[in-house]
Amino acid sequence: MTTQSAFDLIFRNAVLRGAASPVDIGVTRGRITAIEPTLACEAIEVNVGGRLALPGFVDSHIHLDKACLLGRCDHNHGSVSQAIRAVAGMKKDFTVEDVYARGARVLERAIVHGTTRMRTHVEIDPRIGLRSFEAVKSLKRDYAWAIDLSLCVFPQEGLTNDPGSEGLLIQALRDAGEVIGGCPYTDTDPNAHLARIFDLAEAFDVDVDLHLDFDLDPSWWHLDEVCRQTERRNYGGRVAIGHATKLSALPPERLKAATAQLAQAGVAVTVLPATDLYLMGREATHNAPRGLTLAHKLAGEGVLCSVATNNVLNPFTPFGDASLLRMANFYANVAHASVNDFDTCLDLVTELPARLMNLRDYGIKVGNPADLVVLDTQDSRFAIAELPDIVMGFKDGRQTFARQRPTVFRPGS
């Protein structure tokens, strides 16, 4: 038993992943200052009740600026290019207020589903200008009480073929842009696109997060050039690629080589199940391919991986509730994950994306912010298997949401 008089808050009877028995977690001025079997102290107490406590889910790839567009256009899109064109057609009419309202709707869903960290991609080009960027900057400020939001600015519709985009990217990076993204498959000169993105990343000392190889034709890809740029610039551990659905179409020997290449270069992979499954293989008349890269398998071979939301209720993905626990369950089901893989699937929406985003203060550890969410289960494998309720959440030791458990009304009650 540890006795201390300086705690502001104590979480009692919390089950941590990998722990043999419940613990108490002491919090002082918003940070974790003790984790012990028993803490003897007069402080505000939250009884976790022997449930699983996690440091919160981490969404490493989402698009708040183009979320919740369902109803604004025809959503019967069968390809990536059609979805891009559909959003481009609406984007010119986006206002700061519109983007803010749609983004806030998704953020609030994410918060009550237990997400505490998030990287959102924000489109920057001459048609949208910096309107979406200004809106998402405001979201970052206004929701800091519940979620840490990181802004990745990127040119969705190309760079070398889109005069004015680079200047706007530079403005955003000089302001509050924290990561730079790219989309080489929409550019007439993909390699020049990548080179310029890496140039800007080095100039502003920011990480790189690219949309890459988003189809099922393995006869060509941009992965080689990304790995080459990463190694040449000593940027290992600071580069991520999203989608990378081509990897799902590789035969075993080529996949083995690509996996080794990614691991050696230090390039991370983010799999986006809802979008990847919705858009890939739609032209097939039978035996449709999943188009889903197996993140848990890559992770087992030394590639840093994550699973994330990507889009919510728009032409790329006309589904979504911003629940990463549901996404991890969805991924595990479609990816044929075994029960022994369930803990890795949970890692894909917690510890691994935190590493991908280079978050140095993530986790339920002494010295870190008291950010945690409580799941109505005792076993982390069942978090994936049964989608338990997420009953409460805290940011810097302050409660951000609570959910009441459902009540069953039996006859005569």
Side-chain angles (χ1 to χ4, degrees), residues 6 50 65 77 83 141 153 193 210-211 266 293 401:
D65 57 337
H77 306 294
R141 178 196 65 223
V153 296
H193 179 115
L210 303 161
H211 292 66
T293 291
F401 73 91

Side-chain angles (χ1 to χ4, degrees), residues 1-3 7 10 12 22-25 34-41:
M1 178 183 293
T2 297
T3 302
F7 298 125
I10 298 176
R12 300 284 189 195
V23 296
D24 291 348
I25 303 169
I35 302 175
E36 301 285 350
T38 304
L39 293 172
C41 178

Side-chain angles (χ1 to χ4, degrees), residues 379-410:
D379 189 325
S380 57
R381 292 173 303 170
F382 282 86
I384 296 297
E386 65 176 350
L387 291 176
D389 290 335
I390 303 169
V391 297
M392 65 180 85
F394 295 80
K395 179 78 172 70
D396 296 326
R398 175 191 174 276
Q399 189 160 9
T400 54
F401 73 91
R403 273 207 181 105
Q404 290 188 346
R405 296 181 70 179
T407 300
V408 176
F409 295 101
R410 300 183 183 281

